[in-house]
Structure formats: structure tokens, C-alpha cells
């Protein structure tokens, strides 16, 4: 038994029993092993350290009411990691290897998958890095694929309590850059804006499209969605947004479980009054209601700064109901760890 206070857990690293590591050399991945320490030894010349040759994923293991453990759409994470690896010239991790590594890590840490009803989960962090001696700007010859984990609670403070966000004019990605890939460089580029937002009392920043700075792109490390005043689910479509598996799921749930029209379109920062509710969504963020957005000297309040709107609440209940196994999922969304 451990003494983690799961109900009040934030998004921090906790000690775990094991993580997975596999090495790629001479064109082949080895079988991979579980190990206890989260430390690794790599060359200080590694491309991941100097040139950001890195890609990662984030997914969660959920404890169901019947005690079983399940993953949510892990095949989508496996495919997205392959796409990210391709973009930064790293070898792809085969889908079966990715799933097997996640399963091994969850099984080895099964007692750390938080109890049903606490709202906490075991977060899995698969990643691939370029390693080995390398001084020029080129792809490494050797790689590590690893899956770390940690029990986590809310990413944004207060769970379903609305947060306020500030618009930044600093971009996390270029118009034709790597924004749609889950690669480390985008997150390094986001640290400054995130820091300024937090220093000013905001939960995070809102990124605008990097070409015109007129439309909402993302909310920190989460996608943006809005509910229009005529009850449509709207979410931006832009080449610099990470394609969120949570958002893709919400679009499906809005249409097929809630009977809403789904629009992939522009959300102009100076036309927020078309929306009655807004939220941030992602694996870490789950659904976090956006109470208010501040842009320069203008403030826009959505449904409420203190209460979650009815549609956001319904989406949250439906999504998490599926993730924790209480609501029947569309085919292929749930992967039970036997
Ligand atoms: N956008 C960014 C920049 C992210 O880092 C994440 C997190 O993975 C998301 C959106 C949400 O994606 P997902 O729902 O697949 O976790
Ligand atoms: C996720 O939601 O899984 C993320 O990767 C977001 C963040 C913690 C980087």
C-alpha cells in the first residue's frame, strides 16, 4: 500500500515500481526491459539534447468500478507517435511494441493505478529520443524508446472548475512547422508564454494561429473547443494544432451521444460572443472549462467564471464515463489490461 492522497493529487511525478526501456541500434529495436530507476545514461552529444530530436505521447490507465484497468484509445497514441517520429527522422516504434510496453508498465505498477472514484489515473509517458555521439545537425544512429508512468490528478487547478486564460502573441509553432506533431521543440517554445501566463494569475495561455494571429489555435498543452449559442460543438482546424485524441473523441460524442452538430472551423479571438461555453481538452487536461479569456485589455467571460456550463458538463460526464468503463464505448476505444 502507498499513502498517496489520490483525491488531491496534482500533475507531478510520483515514485513508481518500474518503467520500460528499449534501445534501437543497427536498424533494429531490442526486446526492451522493465527497470526501476527513471534515470538513463546517454551520450552528452545526443541529438535529443542539442537538436530536440525527440517525440512523446501521453495516455492514461483508468481503474474501473469492477477493479479492472483499461487504456483509452492507445492505438491512436501509437500511430501518432509514429507520425511524430517520422517528422523528426526517428525510427517508428511498431504499434504492437508500443502497446506491449504500455501493458508491461501498467501491469508492473498495477497497485499504483488510482482507485475508481478518485478522479486520478496512472499517466503513461512514452517517448523516443535520439542518442549516441553526434555533433552535426543530422539524425542520430541510435535511439531509446521508453515508457514512464506516474499517478496523476488534475492538470488544471480545480478539475471541473472554470479557469481563466490569457492570449499570447508568442507562437508555439510556425505556420508550416511542427505544431501538429508531438515533438519536444514545440513545448520548449511554449515555456515562456506559459510562465508569463502563470505569473499573471492565469491557468495557461491561448495560442493564436501563427500566420494571422486572429483565430484560436490551442490552449497551452490542450485543444480548444466551444459550444456555440445555437448549440454546435466547434473546434479549430489548423495545421499548427496537435490532433488531440480527446478532442477527436469529443467530436464523436457530441455528434453521436449528444446529437449536436460538430463544426471544424475558425474561432476568431475578436468574436468570442458567438460561444456560450468553452473548454480545453486533452489527456492531461481531460476537459477543463474556460471561464474567461483575456486578450490585451479585453476580458471575455463565457458561461460563468465559477460554474461549469451544462454542455461542457455533459461532455465531461460522457467522456469520463467511457474512460472509467461506466458508459459503453464506441468500438475499439477501450483496451482492457488482462
Ligand atoms: N495539444 C497539445 C499541444 C498537447 O500537448 C496535447 C496533449 O497531448 C493535446 C493538445 C491533447 O491531445 P490528446 O487529447 O491526444 O492528449
Ligand atoms: C497530455 O495531455 O498527455 C500532454 O502531453 C500534455 C502535457 C502534459 C504535455
Amino acid at each position: 500500500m502507498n499513502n498517496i492522497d489520490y483525491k488531491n493529487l496534482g500533475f507531478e511525478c510520483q515514485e513508481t515500481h518500474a518503467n520500460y526501456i528499449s534501445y534501437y541500434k543497427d536498424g533494429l529495436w531490442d526486446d526492451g526491459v522493465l527497470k526501476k530507476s527513471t534515470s538513463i545514461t546517454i551520450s552528452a552529444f545526443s541529438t535529443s539534447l542539442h537538436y530536440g530530436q525527440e517525440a512523446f505521447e501521453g495516455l492514461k490507465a483508468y481503474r474501473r468500478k469492477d477493479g479492472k484497468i483499461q487504456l483509452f484509445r492507445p492505438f491512436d497514441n501509437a500511430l501518432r507517435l509514429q507520425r511524430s517520429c517520422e517528422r523528426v527522422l526517428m525510427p517508428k516504434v511498431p504499434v504492437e511494441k508500443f502497446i506491449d510496453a504500455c501493458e508491461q508498465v501498467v501491469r508492473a505498477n498495477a497497485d499504483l493505478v488510482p482507485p475508481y472514484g478518485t478522479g486520478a489515473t496512472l499517466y503513461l509517458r512514452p517517448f523516443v529520443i535520439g542518442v549516441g555521439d553526434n555533433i552535426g545537425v543530422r539524425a542520430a544512429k541510435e535511439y531509446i524508446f521508453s515508457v514512464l508512468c506516474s499517478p496523476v490528478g488534475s492538470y488544471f487547478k480545480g478539475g471541473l472548475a472554470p479557469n481563466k486564460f490569457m492570449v499570447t502573441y508568442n507562437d508555439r509553432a510556425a505556420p508550416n512547422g511542427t505544431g501538429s506533431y508531438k515533438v519536444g521543440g514545440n513545448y520548449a517554445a511554449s515555456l515562456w508564454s506559459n510562465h508569463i501566463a502563470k505569473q499573471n494569475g492565469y491557468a495557461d495561455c491561448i495560442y493564436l494561429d501563427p500566420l494571422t494571429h486572429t483565430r484560436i489555435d490551442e490552449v497551452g498543452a490542450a485543444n480548444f473547443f466551444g459550444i456555440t449559442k445555437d448549440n454546435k460543438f466547434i473546434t479549430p482546424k489548423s495545421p499548427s494544432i496537435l490532433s488531440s485524441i480527446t478532442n477527436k473523441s469529443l467530436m464523436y460524442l457530441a455528434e453521436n451521444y449528444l446529437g449536436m452538430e460538430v463544426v471544424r472551423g475558425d474561432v476568431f479571438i475578436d468574436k468570442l460572443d458567438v460561444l456560450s461555453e468553452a473548454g480545453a481538452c486533452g489527456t492531461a487536461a481531460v476537459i477543463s472549462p474556460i471561464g474567461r479569456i483575456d486578450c490585451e485589455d479585453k476580458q471575455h467571460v463565457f458561461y460563468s467564471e465559477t460554474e461549469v456550463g451544462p454542455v461542457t458538463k455533459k461532455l465531461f460526464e460522457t467522456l469520463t464515463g467511457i474512460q472509467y468503463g461506466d458508459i459503453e464505448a464506441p468500438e475499439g476505444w477501450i483496451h482492457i489490461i488482462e
Side-chain angles (χ1 to χ4, degrees):
M1 263 324 266
N2 57 65
N3 342 309
I4 301 174
D5 176 8
Y6 287 117
K7 283 212 156 133
N8 294 305
L9 201 58
F11 201 82
E12 303 294 336
C13 295
Q14 308 290 332
E15 195 182 333
T16 57
H17 306 308
N19 61 84
Y20 170 96
I21 189 157
S22 171
Y23 291 86
Y24 179 94
K25 208 174 167 184
D26 301 325
L28 287 176
W29 287 108
D30 71 10
D31 286 342
V33 290
L34 289 176
K35 63 182 180 64
K36 161 82 183 159
S37 169
T38 52
S39 298
I40 52 172
T41 302
I42 59 170
S43 164
F45 274 121
S46 292
T47 54
S48 49
L49 298 180
H50 298 247
Y51 307 130
Q53 198 190 17
E54 190 274 349
F56 70 99
E57 272 304 322
L59 68 162
K60 286 174 168 173
Y62 302 81
R63 174 82 62 191
R64 297 158 45 111
K65 208 186 252 170
D66 62 10
K68 289 185 184 161
I69 299 170
Q70 64 185 32
L71 300 176
F72 181 68
R73 309 191 76 168
F75 293 90
D76 291 60
N77 293 94
L79 292 173
R80 190 170 64 186
L81 182 63
Q82 290 195 336
R83 186 174 172 270
S84 301
C85 284
E86 208 166 24
R87 178 66 174 81
V88 291
L89 280 187
M90 302 197 293
K92 290 182 190 170
V93 175
V95 171
E96 316 74 63
K97 184 176 181 71
F98 179 96
I99 300 290
D100 173 58
C102 292
E103 285 184 348
Q104 286 193 45
V105 169
V106 174
R107 281 196 199 102
N109 295 284
D111 63 321
L112 295 176
V113 179
Y116 172 84
T118 57
T121 52
L122 185 74
Y123 183 77
L124 304 183
R125 169 52 60 82
F127 65 93
V128 179
I129 53 174
V131 297
D133 288 345
N134 196 331
I135 199 159
V137 181
R138 66 174 85 89
K141 293 196 181 74
E142 294 173 19
Y143 295 86
I144 285 175
F145 164 54
S146 170
V147 181
L148 303 169
C149 71
S150 178
V152 296
S154 298
Y155 185 69
F156 289 119
K157 197 163 48 73
L160 250 196
N163 274 297
K164 61 175 183 168
F165 294 83
M166 68 168 265
V167 169
T168 177
Y169 285 87
N170 289 318
D171 304 319
R172 63 183 278 282
N176 292 320
T178 53
S180 73
Y181 302 88
K182 205 160 167 61
V183 295
N186 299 335
Y187 297 82
S190 77
L191 291 174
W192 174 254
S193 309
N194 173 281
H195 167 72
I196 298 293
K198 291 209 165 120
Q199 231 181 16
N200 285 287
Y202 297 91
D204 210 328
C205 57
I206 302 269
Y207 292 99
L208 301 179
D209 74 285
L211 195 60
T212 69
H213 294 116
T214 56
R215 299 177 287 241
I216 292 185
D217 243 9
E218 295 218 66
V219 190
N223 272 187
F224 176 91
F225 70 87
I227 309 301
T228 63
K229 286 190 172 153
D230 56 353
N231 203 40
K232 293 177 186 152
F233 179 99
I234 184 165
T235 191
K237 191 174 163 74
S238 149
S240 40
I241 292 177
L242 185 78
S243 338
S244 154
I245 295 159
T246 315
N247 196 5
K248 184 166 82 169
S249 308
L250 289 181
M251 285 188 257
Y252 184 89
L253 297 179
E255 188 173 338
N256 296 285
Y257 285 51
L258 273 63
M260 298 171 72
E261 190 180 325
V262 171
V263 182
R264 302 225 44 206
D266 296 333
V267 177
F268 289 98
I269 194 63
D270 61 352
K271 295 210 168 55
L272 294 180
D273 51 5
V274 298
L275 302 177
S276 55
E277 297 177 36
C281 65
T283 300
V286 194
I287 289 183
S288 182
I290 300 179
R292 185 176 119 193
I293 291 181
D294 291 1
C295 180
E296 295 179 316
D297 55 354
K298 290 195 197 73
Q299 297 183 347
H300 185 90
V301 175
F302 293 94
Y303 180 75
S304 153
E305 281 198 72
T306 51
E307 281 180 33
V308 54
V311 183
T312 306
K313 185 156 182 274
K314 189 86 197 129
L315 284 166
F316 177 87
E317 287 167 352
T318 312
L319 175 72
T320 56
I322 289 173
Q323 290 173 329
Y324 287 98
D326 295 332
I327 296 178
E328 196 174 337
E331 210 184 316
W333 282 22
I334 294 304
H335 185 75
I336 296 198
I337 308 280
E338 299 296 348

